[in-house]
Amino acid sequence: MIPGGQPNMQALLQQAQKMQQDLAAAQQELAEAEVEGSAGGGLVKATVTGAGELRALVIDPKAVDPEDAETLADLVVAAVHNANEAAQQLQQTKLGPLTEGLSGMPGLPF
């Protein structure tokens, strides 16, 4: 701080720029990271990116019953939901510390 209680704007701008770069790097890591969720004891597995994009879906043939497509659909939804929960946890781990640091800065939507 400069005498008189005014913050050093140059230092604040540099800090904000570094936080922005760190946030962009963390978002890139999330886009490349993959997490898996499963349902039915592993009969259905879903893989999503850390950003929540569905990348893969594996269905064990034992889960396929032509007479009961509803159960298979429920297992797919549950596996994707489980994978998205893992992605959200990864997001919190990667972005949480960064967005907490940005939350006190005026004009930022955090």
Side-chain angles (χ1 to χ4, degrees):
M1 289 218 170
I2 310 173
Q6 295 297 319
N8 181 335
M9 291 306 289
Q10 182 67 23
L12 283 176
L13 288 174
Q14 287 175 345
Q15 183 181 6
Q17 191 174 38
K18 169 130 177 38
M19 287 178 163
Q20 185 178 16
Q21 290 169 348
D22 291 347
L23 185 59
Q27 288 172 328
Q28 182 63 35
E29 284 181 44
L30 286 172
E32 294 171 1
E34 291 186 349
V35 293
E36 187 177 279
S38 65
L43 290 175
V44 177
K45 296 177 185 174
T47 302
V48 300
T49 66
E53 178 187 337
L54 182 63
R55 286 281 172 92
L57 185 64
V58 177
I59 301 172
D60 187 306
K62 293 180 226 164
V64 180
D65 179 357
E67 301 296 317
D68 189 12
E70 187 176 322
T71 296
L72 178 56
D74 290 344
L75 289 173
V76 169
V77 169
V80 171
H81 179 74
N82 185 253
N84 279 327
E85 285 180 344
Q88 288 175 351
Q89 290 175 350
L90 183 60
Q91 289 170 9
Q92 183 60 36
T93 300
K94 293 278 185 194
L95 300 178
L98 295 173
T99 57
E100 286 172 13
L102 294 174
S103 65
M105 300 190 87
L108 294 177
F110 301 108

